[in-house]
Amino acid sequence: MFSPGVGGGSLVKEGEFDVIKREIERFVGERGWERYHTPKEIALSLAAEVGELLREFQWMEGEEEEEIKRGGVRRERIVDEMADVLFYLVDLSRVMNVDLMEAFLKKMEKNREKYPPERFQGNYERP
């Protein structure tokens, strides 16, 4: 079953974040790390993982950007870092009891109001 997106489209299968949350909970629990998974510690870990993701893009130029779309070792490292970022973002939502899909859809509505297409089509300016 899919959750409807704005405009009737499908964004994500219902419960996918729940599957990820259960995997994280199991992983953390099997290691007895629950006491370390506080909102502050998870947020710090999330920031560190975003930094590791960004490091993969540092000094990247032209053809390299196209190359990572196709495959290779660098792409694999980027995909691993993306998964780490997702881990900590979903874990933060888990310990704070936040429905990420609901939060995302609410934020997209705010973004649509803040950046109406008739004003921002093809360009960006600070509102």
Side-chain angles (χ1 to χ4, degrees), residues 4-10 109 112:
V6 176
S10 297
E109 275 304 309
R112 283 184 179 82

Side-chain angles (χ1 to χ4, degrees), residues 64-102:
E64 290 175 295
E65 288 190 59
E66 290 303 313
E67 189 178 307
I68 63 168
K69 295 176 187 177
R70 293 188 294 269
V73 174
R74 192 171 201 175
R75 177 188 169 88
E76 188 175 331
R77 289 194 313 258
I78 289 168
V79 169
D80 283 348
E81 295 307 334
M82 290 168 63
D84 287 341
V85 168
L86 180 64
F87 177 101
Y88 286 110
L89 180 61
V90 173
D91 196 28
L92 186 59
S93 76
R94 179 182 70 87
V95 300
M96 292 184 61
N97 197 29
V98 170
D99 181 327
L100 277 178
M101 183 55 67
E102 181 181 325

Side-chain angles (χ1 to χ4, degrees), residues 3-116:
S3 298
V6 176
S10 297
L11 293 177
V12 70
K13 288 181 184 175
E14 193 172 310
E16 284 185 345
F17 285 122
D18 292 332
V19 171
I20 297 169
K21 285 179 182 180
R22 281 193 304 274
E23 281 296 310
I24 291 169
E25 200 165 67
R26 190 175 96 201
F27 181 84
V28 169
E30 288 171 346
R31 288 152 184 80
W33 290 350
E34 294 90 346
R35 70 178 179 263
Y36 304 116
H37 283 250
T38 64
K40 181 196 83 154
E41 295 302 327
I42 296 168
L44 291 170
S45 296
L46 175 60
E49 292 298 341
V50 169
E52 290 179 22
L53 176 61
L54 291 173
R55 185 178 59 224
E56 292 297 330
F57 290 92
Q58 189 174 21
W59 313 121
M60 188 180 288
E61 294 182 1
E63 180 57 31
E64 290 175 295
E65 288 190 59
E66 290 303 313
E67 189 178 307
I68 63 168
K69 295 176 187 177
R70 293 188 294 269
V73 174
R74 192 171 201 175
R75 177 188 169 88
E76 188 175 331
R77 289 194 313 258
I78 289 168
V79 169
D80 283 348
E81 295 307 334
M82 290 168 63
D84 287 341
V85 168
L86 180 64
F87 177 101
Y88 286 110
L89 180 61
V90 173
D91 196 28
L92 186 59
S93 76
R94 179 182 70 87
V95 300
M96 292 184 61
N97 197 29
V98 170
D99 181 327
L100 277 178
M101 183 55 67
E102 181 181 325
F104 173 79
L105 293 174
K106 284 181 179 179
K107 180 60 176 168
M108 288 306 297
E109 275 304 309
K110 290 178 185 178
N111 288 343
R112 283 184 179 82
E113 290 174 19
K114 188 174 182 179
Y115 302 103

